[in-house]
Amino acid sequence: MKRMDISEKIFSIIAHVLLILFALACVYPLIFVVSSAISAPLAVEAGKIVLWPVGFQMKALIAVASDFEFWLSYCNTIFLTIYGTAISMVVAITGAYALSKTRLMFGRGFNFMLVFTMWFSAGMIPTYMNFVRLGINNRFGFILGLGFNAFNMILLRNAFTGVPHEIEEAATIDGATEFQILSKIYIPMSTSSIATVTMFFALSRWNGYFWAQWLLPYEAQPLQVYMRTYIDKKLGVDGSIDPEILGYSLKSYQYSMIVCSIIPIIIIYPQMQKYFAAGVNVGGVKE
């Protein structure tokens, strides 16, 4: 076994220290939010929460759990995430498969137009006016209108480009159709990239706020929009409600909603993390 010299040992120590600090920086906000959600209301209002809970109360979490509109918006978010991710993946996979083919007529032009959309855009106001004129003011219209992402399609295109051409030729000789080649060869050989892009789309849908706020009606708005609207309009941003009467503070309720909203991500993300490094590397090597 090769021994490390002084410079390598110093680099290894610094790298491990930075990694630990980065991990703590990522974990601390989560611990702080959970602690604030279950701490005594006056401690939360006074800003006494640093890491661990001060006092204990579950009234804020119970109030969130009994809020019908909160869970309605939760269902809206789940609906938009599941169906939005599915539609986006169908568009991304089929588009990336076509663009990965050198035999595609005007392929260079299509690829240029795809990348061009990442450099230049019409702007926020023209985009909003276009969405309104197209009638993107319901769940299905919203899913279709925001179902395309150039960056994610480029990742999949590059991953598909890395599939050996000889395998496709052998399948073509055996009489395989384009759909069979895509479903039996390209998708199984690009699972890491597909899983990564799926997670990108799902996170984007789950955390979607801006366009959902302006395009969807109140009854169809997702969780992120509802959380902001509820705090601003119903509880009031001035903190005028006495926490002693409610048994919890405005901030406790706010943190409790955050805790409830991130539970699915905490459960799913670790299961998908193993695909991230491989997926991004495979999808980002080729141009």
Side-chain angles (χ1 to χ4, degrees):
M1 182 178 179
K2 183 180 177 181
R3 297 182 60 184
M4 294 189 299
D5 57 26
I6 298 298
S7 61
E8 290 176 331
K9 290 181 179 179
I10 294 175
F11 175 80
S12 177
I13 293 173
I14 294 175
H16 281 82
V17 170
L18 292 176
L19 183 61
I20 292 172
L21 292 176
F22 179 75
L24 292 175
C26 294
V27 173
Y28 174 75
L30 178 61
I31 297 176
F32 176 80
V33 168
V34 175
S35 298
S36 300
I38 62 176
S39 293
L42 294 181
V44 177
E45 288 294 330
K48 295 181 179 180
I49 311 301
V50 177
L51 182 62
W52 305 117
V54 177
F56 182 77
Q57 59 80 27
M58 293 291 291
K59 291 184 178 180
L61 286 171
I62 294 173
V64 172
S66 60
D67 185 354
F68 172 78
E69 292 186 349
F70 175 83
W71 293 109
L72 177 62
S73 66
Y74 215 115
C75 293
N76 290 334
T77 300
I78 294 174
F79 179 88
L80 294 175
T81 300
I82 293 176
Y83 287 97
T85 301
I87 294 296
S88 296
M89 286 305 300
V90 170
V91 173
I93 289 175
T94 53
Y97 175 73
L99 293 174
S100 67
K101 303 301 178 183
T102 56
R103 65 178 184 273
L104 177 66
M105 186 177 296
F106 308 118
R108 287 183 175 272
F110 288 132
N111 278 287
F112 173 77
M113 287 189 289
L114 178 66
V115 177
F116 185 84
T117 62
M118 298 176 61
W119 298 338
F120 303 98
S121 64
M124 185 183 302
I125 302 302
T127 302
Y128 171 75
M129 294 175 63
N130 186 46
F131 283 159
V132 172
R133 291 178 179 177
L134 290 174
I136 302 178
N137 56 358
N138 55 70
R139 294 183 182 91
F140 292 101
F142 186 79
I143 288 172
L144 294 175
L146 299 178
F148 172 80
N149 184 281
F151 175 76
N152 290 338
M153 186 175 289
I154 289 173
L155 284 180
L156 287 181
R157 182 204 66 185
N158 294 342
F160 288 164
T161 304
V163 175
H165 186 63
E166 293 77 11
I167 299 178
E168 181 180 355
E169 288 182 344
T172 303
I173 293 173
D174 290 338
T177 63
E178 292 288 348
F179 178 78
Q180 289 174 328
I181 292 173
L182 173 61
S183 59
K184 303 290 186 180
I185 298 175
Y186 278 80
I187 292 179
M189 295 186 69
S190 306
T191 52
S192 295
S193 295
I194 291 174
T196 301
V197 171
T198 300
M199 197 63 181
F200 286 165
F201 276 124
L203 286 173
S204 176
R205 294 288 186 175
W206 187 268
N207 294 323
Y209 172 79
F210 180 79
W211 288 117
Q213 179 186 23
W214 293 105
L215 296 175
L216 292 177
Y218 178 79
E219 65 275 6
Q221 288 182 344
L223 183 60
Q224 310 300 333
V225 178
Y226 172 78
M227 289 168 61
R228 181 64 183 180
T229 303
Y230 190 93
I231 293 172
D232 283 351
K233 294 184 178 180
K234 291 192 175 182
L235 289 181
V237 295
D238 58 353
S240 57
I241 296 179
D242 188 357
E244 290 288 349
I245 298 176
L246 288 177
Y248 59 88
S249 67
L250 169 62
K251 292 183 179 179
S252 297
Y253 194 92
Q254 193 173 2
Y255 290 129
S256 297
M257 288 198 295
I258 295 173
V259 170
C260 293
S261 68
I262 63 177
I263 289 176
I265 302 300
I266 294 176
I267 295 174
I268 297 174
Y269 188 86
Q271 310 301 323
M272 303 291 293
Q273 188 179 9
K274 59 184 178 180
Y275 296 106
F276 278 11
V280 173
N281 288 337
V282 171
V285 170
K286 296 189 178 181
E287 192 58 47

